[in-house]
Amino acid sequence: MRDRALISLFYLTGARISAECSLPLGCLDEVKLILDQDPKRGVKTKNRKRIPTRFFPLPYTQPLDYVVNWVKYLKDKKGFSPDDPLFPATLRYQTGDKKLAFSSQMVGNEFWKTTASARKILQKRFEEVGLPYYNPHSFRDTIVKEYTRTRLTEEEKKAISQNLGHENVGTTFGSYGHGKLPEDRQFEIIESINTQQDTLSTSPLDEETLRRIIREETGKQK
């Protein structure tokens, strides 16, 4: 359950791996779907910046169930408090011959000391389904790519950028997402924009007005 919820939260929030590994349970509101990445509560964010993140409403909805069910399990079955880890380390115990061992199924209530275990979980899950390994940061790229396929207002772009912890929209939609497009894809996109029937319908200059201007300008040139 933990591993599935861990991967799901990457997809839902785009949180960095250092933040996810240091999240206390109280930072996640499973009702309002808000993740408060707050360094004052021990969350390891980039540049120690507080990042309030609302879950992204992305097409694949099942990850939300995985996260909510995991939180419910920690609260109801494990009796975790708001200060306990959202993603606790695997339970360690002492064997009969006094050697330290790790449980294959159970988790304790200690935070991971590094991100190494979380990275191993990702690698293992990708291998199990026959896919090449994608690092945790690739989930952030995926989120941005999903949104670059939709028509966004400047305000919506800013909201997405802040949700990922960026100050600058250019960082989100430049460095992330598609970045620099190949020339053939660039030309293909531009061509499709020009041929969409409703492209100019909401513009102050509608299609008929532009046609008239073009005709009049052409007439003047003659």
Side-chain angles (χ1 to χ4, degrees):
M1 288 179 69
R2 178 199 61 188
D3 298 358
R4 192 163 56 182
L6 173 78
I7 297 170
S8 295
L9 197 65
F10 281 128
Y11 180 74
L12 290 166
T13 66
R16 292 183 172 88
I17 190 168
S18 56
E20 281 213 21
C21 290
S22 56
L23 284 168
L25 183 60
C27 281
L28 192 149
D29 187 329
E30 73 274 24
V31 177
K32 294 181 179 179
L33 304 182
I34 293 174
L35 182 67
D36 188 4
Q37 302 174 61
D38 189 354
K40 290 182 179 179
R41 300 197 64 175
V43 183
K44 297 176 182 178
T45 61
K46 188 174 183 179
N47 299 324
R48 292 191 53 79
K49 175 185 177 182
R50 177 176 173 263
I51 306 173
T53 301
R54 205 283 185 188
F55 285 18
F56 287 102
L58 294 168
Y60 181 33
T61 58
Q62 201 166 10
L64 178 58
D65 294 333
Y66 294 150
V67 172
V68 171
N69 289 337
W70 173 244
V71 171
K72 182 177 176 61
Y73 168 77
L74 291 178
K75 290 180 176 180
D76 297 347
K77 301 294 184 182
K78 298 286 289 183
F80 271 30
S81 73
D83 293 326
D84 285 324
L86 177 59
F87 298 112
T90 302
L91 182 66
R92 295 181 296 176
Y93 64 94
Q94 200 171 49
T95 62
D97 54 359
K98 296 185 178 181
K99 291 183 179 179
L100 189 64
F102 292 87
S103 169
S104 61
Q105 300 292 331
M106 303 291 290
V107 295
N109 64 345
E110 295 181 357
F111 284 89
W112 274 315
K113 297 186 184 302
T114 70
T115 62
S117 294
R119 292 180 189 277
K120 287 179 181 178
I121 288 170
L122 282 172
Q123 290 175 331
K124 179 182 177 183
R125 297 304 177 190
F126 278 114
E127 288 175 3
E128 287 177 346
V129 294
L131 290 174
Y133 171 65
Y134 289 90
N135 64 48
H137 205 277
S138 63
F139 287 90
R140 294 169 68 84
D141 294 331
T142 298
I143 290 169
V144 176
K145 284 180 180 178
E146 287 287 346
Y147 281 109
T148 56
R149 296 190 179 99
T150 65
R151 294 185 178 184
L152 299 169
T153 65
E154 291 304 310
E155 188 177 36
E156 287 170 336
K157 288 181 181 179
K158 182 61 177 177
I160 292 168
S161 185
Q162 287 182 192
N163 219 41
L164 289 168
H166 292 154
E167 294 287 344
N168 193 321
V169 172
T171 302
T172 309
F173 291 93
S175 301
Y176 286 52
H178 291 287
K180 182 174 175 58
L181 293 167
E183 283 188 8
D184 57 346
R185 180 58 180 153
Q186 171 191 332
F187 299 156
E188 181 184 345
I189 291 171
I190 296 300
E191 182 180 358
S192 68
I193 292 172
N194 288 335
T195 56
Q196 288 174 357
Q197 293 298 314
D198 62 341
T199 300
L200 301 174
S201 61
T202 58
S203 171
L205 289 173
D206 59 27
E207 187 173 352
E208 180 57 30
T209 302
L210 287 172
R211 284 181 177 178
R212 288 179 57 193
I213 292 172
I214 292 170
R215 283 201 299 268
E216 289 174 5
E217 287 296 321
T218 303
K220 289 178 182 178
Q221 289 175 7
K222 289 181 179 178

